[in-house]
Amino acid sequence: MRRVNEFVIDVPERQLDDLRHRLERTRWPAPVPGTGWERGVPLDYLTGLAGHWLTRYSWREHEARLNRFPQFRTEIDGQRIHFLHVRSPEPDALPLILTHGWPSSFAEYTEVIGPLTDPRAHGADPADAFHVVVPSLPGFGFSTPLSGPGWNHARIARAWAALMDRLGYHRYGAQGGDTGSIVSPELGRIAPQNVVGVHINGQLAFPSGDLGDLSPDEAERIAAAERLRQVGTGYADLQSTRPQTLAYALNDSPAGQLAWIVEKFWEWTDPAKALPEDAVGRDHLLANVTLYWLTATGAPSAHLYYEVRNAPVTPPGPTGVPTGIALFPTDPTIRHVAERDHNLVHWTEFSQGGHFAATETPALLTEDIRAFYHQLRNP
């Protein structure tokens, strides 16, 4: 089916009532006295955040905000795909597909869409405008239900190539963080004749192989990544081996879904910020969690990790597509290692921000995307 249908978010009130009732009936676990974040999300922090979710947060406000962006759904390779498609008022704008990761969603990009599509209105050069496409990964948000197994990074990239072709875009850029930092380069490998450049941020993968000589800053990034690998990857082990077992808890308890996501926002956002909402804002954090809850995608989104773990292992090899990397404080990426797999023509290091750059530091990410593609628009 090649039809593209308009889509509007309209959550039934009964679902919001059910969320409130479940939060009210949460059975909270007792903490070990004298412990904190090192054992997971502290009870006093989560009860406070859940209380805000229950009594002060408004999904309807965020629903209306999301619905300001044109949304659509289509079917590709048997899978329902939801996406935003925001065209620029500038006729020569470059199409750009943005790919989120876990535990994020298409809503991560709401702060950058306006500046990217209409730079003139935001005090920037209209020559740097983009037509923006933001799909929801299969099994995430409104790209549900999962049609079946096999939705790994390569298959997602093939679906994105089909989506851009369906929209009539035959020359475009690809940008992404987290999962998007893998899918976007893969899209460049699959469709090098279409992808003019790939820009990525938010890579979490630990650099492999011989790392060579490291600068003091690089050595510290690797040490931080090693600490994270030792104590902060249990979620990935579980999601990549037994996602269906985890699904029952995430699908039945909003407090459980909240804790599962909030821990990652605490661990991956700007290390200079003490709490997740210091980096992304409490209501934005809750909007993302609510989106997972209302679409019941805490469970199917976890299956992406299983698919990636069990995908055929094929060395990616270097891509000839020009690539830009924006490095934020939580990223373990090493430049000379990245150059092995990418045609790296653009590299920027930032001293603030974190893994969710589109939300944490949207202005910095926007400017870096503009700067990277500025050199590629008129080859």
Side-chain angles (χ1 to χ4, degrees), residues 134-261:
V134 188
S136 295
L137 291 166
F140 289 68
F142 299 103
S143 288
T144 49
L146 271 175
S147 59
W151 280 100
N152 54 42
H153 293 147
R155 190 176 179 187
I156 293 169
R158 292 193 295 271
W160 282 190
L163 175 61
M164 295 303 275
D165 181 71
R166 188 167 300 181
L167 296 177
Y169 294 141
H170 306 298
R171 181 176 181 271
Y172 52 87
Q175 199 283 332
D178 191 85
T179 299
S181 73
I182 303 173
V183 170
S184 299
E186 186 64 21
L187 179 55
R189 293 185 180 94
I190 289 171
Q193 70 280 10
N194 303 112
V195 178
V196 302
V198 171
H199 183 280
I200 58 177
N201 68 281
Q203 294 179 289
L204 273 179
F206 191 89
S208 59
D210 180 13
L211 301 184
D213 294 331
L214 299 176
S215 70
D217 286 346
E218 290 172 336
E220 175 52 34
R221 286 208 301 275
I222 292 301
E226 181 59 39
R227 291 192 294 270
L228 178 63
R229 185 163 66 171
Q230 290 177 0
V231 302
T233 58
Y235 79 97
D237 291 337
L238 186 53
Q239 292 191 159
S240 63
T241 56
R242 295 294 186 270
Q244 189 60 31
T245 301
L246 173 66
Y248 301 108
L250 296 181
N251 209 57
D252 193 58
S253 169
Q257 179 69 88
L258 178 64
W260 195 246
I261 289 179

Side-chain angles (χ1 to χ4, degrees), residues 57-309:
Y57 170 76
S58 172
W59 165 255
R60 291 302 184 199
E61 289 184 10
H62 281 91
E63 183 179 74
R65 190 171 302 156
L66 294 173
N67 280 333
R68 293 174 190 158
F69 301 105
Q71 298 177 62
F72 305 87
R73 287 206 295 202
T74 191
E75 185 178 299
I76 299 174
D77 192 12
Q79 174 64 46
R80 175 187 289 166
I81 299 295
H82 161 265
F83 61 98
L84 305 183
H85 184 198
V86 187
R87 289 187 59 84
S88 171
E90 305 297 337
D92 296 326
L94 176 69
L96 179 66
I97 183 167
L98 305 171
T99 304
H100 67 85
W102 183 93
S104 190
S105 65
F106 74 95
E108 179 180 352
Y109 291 103
T110 55
E111 296 302 313
V112 302
I113 291 174
L116 289 175
T117 57
D118 194 1
R120 186 192 304 270
H122 292 80
D125 188 347
D128 290 327
F130 298 89
H131 300 307
V132 171
V133 178
V134 188
S136 295
L137 291 166
F140 289 68
F142 299 103
S143 288
T144 49
L146 271 175
S147 59
W151 280 100
N152 54 42
H153 293 147
R155 190 176 179 187
I156 293 169
R158 292 193 295 271
W160 282 190
L163 175 61
M164 295 303 275
D165 181 71
R166 188 167 300 181
L167 296 177
Y169 294 141
H170 306 298
R171 181 176 181 271
Y172 52 87
Q175 199 283 332
D178 191 85
T179 299
S181 73
I182 303 173
V183 170
S184 299
E186 186 64 21
L187 179 55
R189 293 185 180 94
I190 289 171
Q193 70 280 10
N194 303 112
V195 178
V196 302
V198 171
H199 183 280
I200 58 177
N201 68 281
Q203 294 179 289
L204 273 179
F206 191 89
S208 59
D210 180 13
L211 301 184
D213 294 331
L214 299 176
S215 70
D217 286 346
E218 290 172 336
E220 175 52 34
R221 286 208 301 275
I222 292 301
E226 181 59 39
R227 291 192 294 270
L228 178 63
R229 185 163 66 171
Q230 290 177 0
V231 302
T233 58
Y235 79 97
D237 291 337
L238 186 53
Q239 292 191 159
S240 63
T241 56
R242 295 294 186 270
Q244 189 60 31
T245 301
L246 173 66
Y248 301 108
L250 296 181
N251 209 57
D252 193 58
S253 169
Q257 179 69 88
L258 178 64
W260 195 246
I261 289 179
V262 164
E263 183 197 285
K264 298 301 111 185
F265 274 79
W266 170 76
E267 200 155 42
W268 296 348
T269 49
D270 190 332
K273 308 293 185 180
L275 295 173
E277 64 263 33
D278 297 334
V280 300
R282 180 172 280 197
D283 278 6
H284 182 91
L285 177 62
L286 288 173
N288 184 64
V289 176
T290 307
L291 186 61
Y292 272 78
W293 175 259
L294 294 175
T295 57
T297 49
S301 66
H303 283 269
L304 174 61
Y305 283 71
Y306 184 92
E307 300 297 348
V308 171
R309 182 187 181 106

